[in-house]
Each structure stands twice: as C-alpha cells, then as structure tokens.
Amino acid sequence: QKEVEQDPGPLSVPEGAIVSLNCTYSNSAFQYFMWYRQYSRKGPELLMYTYSSGNKEDGRFTAQVDKSSKYISLFIRDSQPSDSATYLCAWRGIQGGSEKLVFGKGTKLTVNP
Amino acid sequence: NAGVTQTPKFRVLKTGQSMTLLCAQDMNHEYMYWYRQDPGMGLRLIHYSVGEGTTAKGEVPDGYNVSRLKKQNFLLGLESAAPSQTSVYFCASSPRQGYSGNTIYFGEGSWLTVV
C-alpha cells in the first residue's frame, strides 16, 4: 500500500463551485498535515496545516482531517479562476527516530470563468 | 524577506558536464531539502540536511551530491549530468519538527535540461 494516495485529476469546475480535494495515507506516524498550492512554473506555497482531526478554516479554504480513517480533504468554497493550480497534500512525522515528510503527487485544478 | 533563493533558475547542460545548484535561506532554519519534480511523479526527495555539516539521502539520491557547510546554504551537485536528470529542482527549508507550525518553505525552482 502506498504511503499516500492523491487523485491526480485533472479537475475542472466552473467559477463559484465548491471544490473537494482528497488524500489518503497509510502511516500512523504522520502527525502534521499540510496542503500546498503550486502555480505553473512556481514553487509550492503553504496553504494550510493542521495536526488534529477535525476542520480548520481559513477564508474560502477548509482543511479536514480524519485520523481514524487516515483521510484528509481540502474544500474550496466559491472557487475563483485564480485558484487554478496544482494542490499537493503533505504529511510530516517521526518514524524510527527519523523525520519523515511525504508529499502526494498533486491534483491539478482548473476553475473556468 | 528573501525566504528561499535558488540559483540558477535555468540551465542547459551537455551530458557528462558537472554543475552545482545553490540554495540559500535567510530564516535560520535547521532543515533543508532538495527535491526534483517530474510530470506524473510528484515531488521526490533527493537529499536533505537536519543541520549544518549534516546530510542524508532521500528517495532518489543517485547521481547527486550535497553539502551543507553553512547553516543558510545547501548545495546540490551533479558530477556527470545525464538526460534522466532533466527536471525541475526545488530547494526547501523548515524549522525542526514541532516548531513554528512545521511550515516548509520552497524556493521558486531551477529548471535543468541535460542534452
């Protein structure tokens, strides 16, 4: 089983739609969960991070973590063309005394005006 | 604030040539990383460092070497470039886990083509 699975998309939605991006993971050592946004030909930038189960909101973005199911989601409300980017989920934790940091492969999102 | 700065941004190499990518961070971070990103493969960790003078192998270390002589700099070297090393390279830095929200900051990327 892969440590992290992320639907690669691509995902295309109309402006104003609610977008749901999802990842699953298999390693219980993961403690911190992050979502990154990457515009074309740019480096990833942190959108949100959390370390507990439940929801965390930041403007139009909501990160949801379910540790019991090993499932994380990012919801984007009232999506805008400027949200068009690749979204990467990421985990960080300690395993065997060493830090482990894992990224999903990314989901490409296009929001059409 | 500069954050994480990578140089050069673009480079074309001939097979067999050597080069060094430089990463500099001004946030006093302990950890630094080098990733490569290829279509359909996502970010893959090449090497990383948990402090000045230390380095460790990541997922795809073959063909690369690194050095962290100063805390703020992390160098990635290609001794004999191969076409398979054509990629976008990202440097990143972060504080130790558990500090400052565990944020990992990325540079803007270095586009390398080996012909």
Side-chain angles (χ1 to χ4, degrees):
Chain A
Q1 183 180 9
K2 292 182 181 179
E3 283 196 298
V4 54
E5 300 270 5
Q6 181 173 10
D7 186 346
L11 188 60
S12 182
V13 302
E15 183 175 354
I18 297 175
V19 176
S20 172
L21 303 168
N22 308 296
C23 289
T24 59
Y25 65 98
S26 59
N27 192 334
S28 297
F30 293 142
Q31 298 172 299
Y32 300 94
F33 306 89
M34 295 159 278
W35 282 97
Y36 282 81
R37 176 175 62 196
Q38 185 176 20
Y39 291 115
S40 180
R41 303 187 72 78
K42 293 289 186 182
E45 58 177 336
L46 181 70
L47 262 182
M48 299 182 72
Y49 82 92
T50 183
Y51 54 86
S52 58
S53 283
N55 293 351
K56 182 176 181 179
E57 283 192 27
D58 184 1
R60 295 185 295 109
F61 298 89
T62 299
Q64 185 178 80
V65 175
D66 183 345
K67 287 190 176 183
S68 61
S69 302
K70 296 188 176 64
Y71 194 87
I72 70 168
S73 300
L74 178 70
F75 299 97
I76 307 174
R77 293 185 298 279
D78 187 25
S79 55
Q80 303 295 309
S82 59
D83 295 328
S84 297
T86 297
Y87 291 80
L88 304 162
C89 53
W91 293 260
R92 193 173 185 182
I94 298 291
Q95 186 175 36
S98 299
E99 167 169 304
K100 200 167 178 77
L101 173 61
V102 180
F103 285 89
K105 291 186 178 181
T107 300
K108 186 173 183 179
L109 170 68
T110 300
V111 181
N112 301 299
Chain B
N1 294 331
V4 179
T5 304
Q6 295 180 227
T7 52
K9 284 188 88 64
F10 303 95
R11 183 75 186 269
V12 178
L13 281 179
K14 293 183 179 179
T15 297
Q17 283 186 319
S18 63
M19 77 160 295
T20 300
L21 295 175
L22 171 64
C23 177
Q25 54 98 359
D26 61 1
M27 297 172 281
N28 201 35
H29 285 166
E30 296 289 336
Y31 290 6
M32 296 188 74
Y33 314 82
W34 274 108
Y35 289 89
R36 60 178 290 173
Q37 188 176 42
D38 303 288
M41 303 296 289
L43 285 165
R44 291 185 293 170
L45 183 64
I46 304 171
H47 287 281
Y48 66 99
S49 168
V50 299
E52 182 179 319
T54 73
T55 63
K57 293 181 180 180
E59 182 185 354
V60 288
D62 294 342
Y64 304 95
N65 57 74
V66 287
S67 64
R68 183 108 180 260
L69 299 179
K70 293 183 178 180
K71 187 177 183 179
Q72 63 268 34
N73 296 338
F74 195 30
L75 279 61
L76 177 70
L78 286 72
E79 290 188 347
S80 179
S84 60
Q85 294 178 304
T86 293
S87 186
V88 183
Y89 292 85
F90 288 102
C91 178
S93 73
S94 75
R96 281 178 291 158
Q97 185 172 188
Y99 291 81
S100 303
N102 297 285
T103 302
I104 299 156
Y105 297 86
F106 283 85
E108 290 288 279
S110 295
W111 274 256
L112 176 64
T113 301
V114 183
V115 297

